[in-house]
């Protein structure tokens, strides 16, 4: 398997990375089955493994599975999302980072983390504090490289500026969503990452299950998440899937292979995360490692989903404060009117 450089770290990683959310015991897998899946991925040439402290016991499962094989793996994990009931068991403060990294190291049974990532932006914490704490972790050898996830382009730029001005370690990677159905990052995120020489570890290349070929517009939806996430039953997304299925068939490809090959074809993408739950799922994706899409096929995909556009909104999409808080996009009533008038009914 060919490798790609992770940003400007010099670390070589596989174009497919193994996501381990599905290794968490609440997802129904045993630790033994998850270990077999991980070992199969390593044997196939995948050397990049990503987890998070918020994925229930996923870090523990990964740590046990990597005993004796840790040196084969570029190991990534994330911090920042709530991991307990305490008000300070989350976020990007120095206080939490110092605590969270020690817990992750213990669960992963390792003395260092290759890539430590901020899981979601934390508006309550100054980016300088976060980068300063992460810089200290790099200096201590507990972390080798740092990254973020779900960051808007403006904040990516701000983080780079802060790191340069303050002499701090800079984020080496970003983890955004990217698939045939979600191409919005092509507009600003990926060009920004390329400008700063950052790696992109993208998640959701199979459209959260919609690009597996198992979901049809007028058929049954047997995805486990279909009752939990609205975007899995979004009519707009299903309409696009119905256009992509015959395109894949015409190219002689399973839809999953078309989806994965599309995702890693972008020059700004370093690796695409595959979040498999079973060995069969993994083997089916590994069978498409040699698939390369022609320019003609990519042009036809562009006709179905124009570059830089998203089809619908993911439930897990990071929403900036200005969209969540109506008060940030509405002037106070007293200053809203151009002339003096009474409120409209």
């Amino acid at each position: 398997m060919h490798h790609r450089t992770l940003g400007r770290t010099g670390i070589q990683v596989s174009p497919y990375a193994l996501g381990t959310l599905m290794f968490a015991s609440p997802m129904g897998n045993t630790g033994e089955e998850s270990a077999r899946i991980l070992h199969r991925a390593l044997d196939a040439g995948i050397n990049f493994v990503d987890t998070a402290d918020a994925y229930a016991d996923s870090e523990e499962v990964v740590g046990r599975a990597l005993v004796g094989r840790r040196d084969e793996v570029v190991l990534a994990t994330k911090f920042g999302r709530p991991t307990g009931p305490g008000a300070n068991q989350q976020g990007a403060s120095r206080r939490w980072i110092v605590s969270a990294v020690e817990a992750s190291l213990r669960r992963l049974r390792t003395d260092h983390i290759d890539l430590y990532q901020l899981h979601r932006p934390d508006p309550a914490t100054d980016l300088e504090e976060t980068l300063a704490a992460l810089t200290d972790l790099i200096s201590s050898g507990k972390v080798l490289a740092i990254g973020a996830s779900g960051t808007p382009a403006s904040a990516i730029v701000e983080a780079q500026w802060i790191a340069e001005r303050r002499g701090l370690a800079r984020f080496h990677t970003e983890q955004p969503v990217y698939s045939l159905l979600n191409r919005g990052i092509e507009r600003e995120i990926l060009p920004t990452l390329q400008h700063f020489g950052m790696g992109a570890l993208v998640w959701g290349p199979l459209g959260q299950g919609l690009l597996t070929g198992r979901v049809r517009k007028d058929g049954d939806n047997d995805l486990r998440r279909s009752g939990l996430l609205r975007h899995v039953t979004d009519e707009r997304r299903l309409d696009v899937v119905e256009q992509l299925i015959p395109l894949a068939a015409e190219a002689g490809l399973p839809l999953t292979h078309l989806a994965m090959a599309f995702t890693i074809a972008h020059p700004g993408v370093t690796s695409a995360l595959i979040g498999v739950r079973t060995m069969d799922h993994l083997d089916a994706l590994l069978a498409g490692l040699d698939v390369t899409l022609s320019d003609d096929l990519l042009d036809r995909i562009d006709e179905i989903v124009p570059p830089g556009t998203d089809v619908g909104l993911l439930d897990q999409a990071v929403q900036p404060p200005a969209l969540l808080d109506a008060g940030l996009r509405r002037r106070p009533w007293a200053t809203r009117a151009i002339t003096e008038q009474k409120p409209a009914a």
Side-chain angles (χ1 to χ4, degrees), residues 32-147:
E32 293 76 12
E33 178 63 13
S34 294
R36 283 192 289 271
I37 292 172
L38 191 151
H39 293 162
R40 172 76 178 93
L42 297 185
D43 293 341
I46 294 175
N47 76 335
F48 200 2
V49 177
D50 177 79
T51 185
D53 60 4
Y55 294 168
D57 59 350
S58 175
E59 284 187 326
E60 295 176 34
V61 173
V62 170
R64 289 194 300 269
L66 286 179
V67 171
R69 304 193 70 169
R70 171 65 181 91
D71 291 342
E72 300 176 40
V73 172
V74 176
L75 183 58
T77 191
K78 300 183 284 293
F79 70 93
R81 300 191 74 174
T83 60
N88 288 307
Q89 290 180 288
Q90 60 182 303
S93 67
R94 176 181 287 274
R95 183 182 190 276
W96 178 237
I97 289 172
V98 169
S99 175
V101 73
E102 294 296 342
S104 286
L105 288 168
R106 183 175 60 254
R107 289 188 291 263
L108 290 166
R109 304 188 183 195
T110 186
D111 61 357
H112 72 279
I113 294 165
D114 296 302
L115 177 63
Y116 199 42
Q117 305 158 98
L118 173 60
H119 208 155
R120 289 290 184 268
D122 178 11
T125 304
D126 193 313
L127 262 174
E128 184 174 341
E129 169 160 343
T130 301
L131 289 173
L134 293 173
T135 299
D136 289 345
L137 294 185
I138 292 175
S139 298
S140 71
K142 294 177 181 179
V143 169
L144 302 188
I146 58 175

Side-chain angles (χ1 to χ4, degrees), residues 192-209:
T192 301
L193 299 181
Q194 290 175 283
H195 175 76
F196 288 110
M198 297 173 64
L201 174 59
V202 300
W203 61 274
L206 297 182
Q208 293 70 53

Side-chain angles (χ1 to χ4, degrees), residues 154-177:
S154 59
I156 293 173
V157 174
E158 181 184 5
Q160 294 291 317
W161 284 353
I162 290 173
E164 181 178 357
R165 288 198 303 268
R166 302 301 185 189
L168 301 172
R170 67 189 188 91
F171 285 133
H172 300 100
T173 64
E174 171 63 22
Q175 191 172 138
V177 64

Side-chain angles (χ1 to χ4, degrees), residues 257-300:
H257 293 180
L258 179 76
M260 291 300 302
F262 165 82
T263 303
I264 63 173
H266 194 289
V269 171
T270 308
S271 301
L273 283 161
I274 53 174
V276 298
R277 188 172 57 84
T278 69
M279 189 73 76
D280 287 343
H281 292 165
L282 175 62
D283 286 339
L285 291 176
L286 292 177
L289 286 175
D290 294 330
V291 172
T292 302
L293 305 185
S294 67
D295 287 341
D296 177 66
L297 192 52
L298 290 170
D299 288 342
R300 295 181 65 183

